[in-house]
Amino acid sequence: MAELARLEAPRSEPSLVEALGFAPDSSLLIVTSDELGVTHSGNSGVYESLRRGRAGSAGLVVPGPWSRAAAASYRGEDIGVHLTLNAEYDLYRWGPITYCPSLLDGDGGFPRTLADLWDHADTDEVRRECRAQIERAIYWGFDVSHLSAHLGALDFRPEFFDVALELAVEFNLPLRLPSADTEARVGFPFRALAAAEGIVSPDFLVRVPRTQGTRRALDRLLSDPPAGVTEVVLRPAIDTDELRAVAPDWSARVDDHALALDATYLRDLVDRAGVKLVGYRALKDLQHSRRPGA
């Protein structure tokens, strides 16, 4: 009987790294370059990080002032839609691509802060705007690899997270999510809800505050890398007058660009830690194999 019980015991689901074809104790790293489409400097920095550097994926801000130029320069790279409902700069503004009055501030652009967005945004308008951003990226020719949320606007409120999850299911795309250790603080099990719908997400997310350096965060991470898939988010841009005029954190973005292109630093760091670099396309392929025809 004991032998029969052992044989009938349910098998646990394979971890994400196992499902991707790696050993259970493997450490995989996705280096993502976000905010493609916001500035010309950022477009140059993001595409260089993908084509000449070690970044594995990127995120497109469809409402960004330079998004159409980013689409014109696209060559099939691993790029997702960075769903955007905020325009955080005081003097550099952008707004919805749909008619969504609840997503506007007094300047006629997106709200500058998450608190303002969450206080006034209508959920139906959020859904309509985010769906339109994905559809426009597809119309422009992007082979969209994943979804993420600018400033985490869709991550931390249940009604906004529902929109992100609904769209990830509708378009059958992986979804960037915060690490599981933030669920208690947020107050709802967003990772379990996504997994129940068959949506794939990296196990860990490293989103470096704009006042801190990404190099230091990478050094700490890769000194003892966890088993699983970890995503590190960069915001690379080349040093120009435009960037300095727009972004108070321009120097951190320039350093992210140098970091992404520093092949020796990243190669040595990754090799020393035994980490393998992957992109979101691998997660998308896995999700499609689990949800064929969705």
Side-chain angles (χ1 to χ4, degrees):
M1 291 294 292
E3 179 67 15
L4 180 60
R6 182 181 65 82
L7 291 174
E8 291 180 347
R11 295 182 61 189
S12 60
E13 288 292 320
S15 66
L16 179 55
V17 291
E18 291 175 286
L20 290 170
F22 295 89
D25 59 350
S26 297
S27 297
L28 309 184
L29 179 65
I30 300 175
V31 178
T32 301
S33 294
D34 265 354
E35 300 191 17
L36 178 68
V38 174
T39 62
H40 182 269
S41 305
N43 285 4
S44 298
V46 169
Y47 275 132
E48 285 189 358
S49 75
L50 291 168
R51 295 168 184 168
R52 296 174 45 218
R54 303 305 296 269
S57 67
L60 173 70
V61 175
V62 172
W66 282 89
S67 60
R68 190 64 186 88
S73 299
Y74 178 62
R75 300 178 191 166
E77 292 86 0
D78 182 336
I79 293 176
V81 174
H82 194 50
L83 297 169
T84 300
L85 300 170
N86 289 93
E88 62 271 31
Y89 300 114
D90 284 338
L91 303 179
Y92 189 59
R93 312 295 296 135
W94 59 85
I97 64 172
T98 60
Y99 179 70
C100 293
S102 74
L103 302 183
L104 299 173
D105 70 358
D107 284 343
F110 281 128
R112 289 175 171 82
T113 68
L114 290 177
D116 192 17
L117 171 72
W118 291 335
D119 283 346
H120 301 105
D122 176 81
T123 305
D124 289 336
E125 292 186 0
V126 169
R127 182 179 295 106
R128 181 165 66 247
E129 172 66 20
C130 290
R131 180 179 287 111
Q133 291 180 18
I134 301 168
E135 290 173 343
R136 181 166 294 184
I138 295 170
Y139 174 75
W140 281 344
F142 286 94
D143 178 15
V144 178
S145 63
H146 67 283
L147 300 178
S148 59
H150 185 53
L151 305 183
L154 300 174
D155 296 340
F156 303 120
R157 292 290 183 92
E159 64 272 26
F160 290 91
F161 170 76
D162 286 347
V163 171
L165 181 55
E166 178 184 326
L167 294 172
V169 170
E170 178 180 342
F171 290 91
N172 200 13
L173 292 170
L175 177 63
R176 174 195 293 166
L177 291 174
S179 305
D181 58 6
T182 65
E183 285 185 326
R185 175 171 58 85
V186 172
F188 66 99
F190 50 82
R191 297 190 68 92
L193 293 169
E197 296 289 348
I199 300 303
V200 175
S201 302
D203 299 301
F204 309 103
L205 174 62
V206 179
R207 188 187 278 130
V208 181
R210 297 185 180 191
T211 55
Q212 298 179 14
T214 307
R215 290 176 188 267
R216 186 168 52 186
L218 266 177
D219 286 338
R220 284 200 304 268
L221 170 68
L222 296 182
S223 66
D224 185 21
V229 180
T230 301
E231 181 179 9
V232 173
V233 179
L234 308 180
R235 300 178 185 87
I238 62 173
D239 190 357
T240 64
D241 288 343
E242 175 211 29
L243 183 70
R244 292 184 181 223
V246 168
D249 62 337
W250 63 267
S251 61
R253 294 170 185 266
V254 171
D255 189 60
D256 277 0
H257 177 241
L259 170 63
L261 266 62
D262 190 342
T264 301
Y265 168 78
L266 272 176
R267 184 186 63 242
D268 291 349
L269 199 60
V270 166
D271 289 348
R272 193 162 62 245
V275 171
K276 298 176 178 63
L277 294 175
V278 296
Y280 261 103
R281 286 251 174 86
L283 275 63
K284 181 181 178 181
D285 290 343
L286 172 63
Q287 183 169 309
H288 284 199
S289 72
R290 292 174 169 179
R291 305 179 72 244

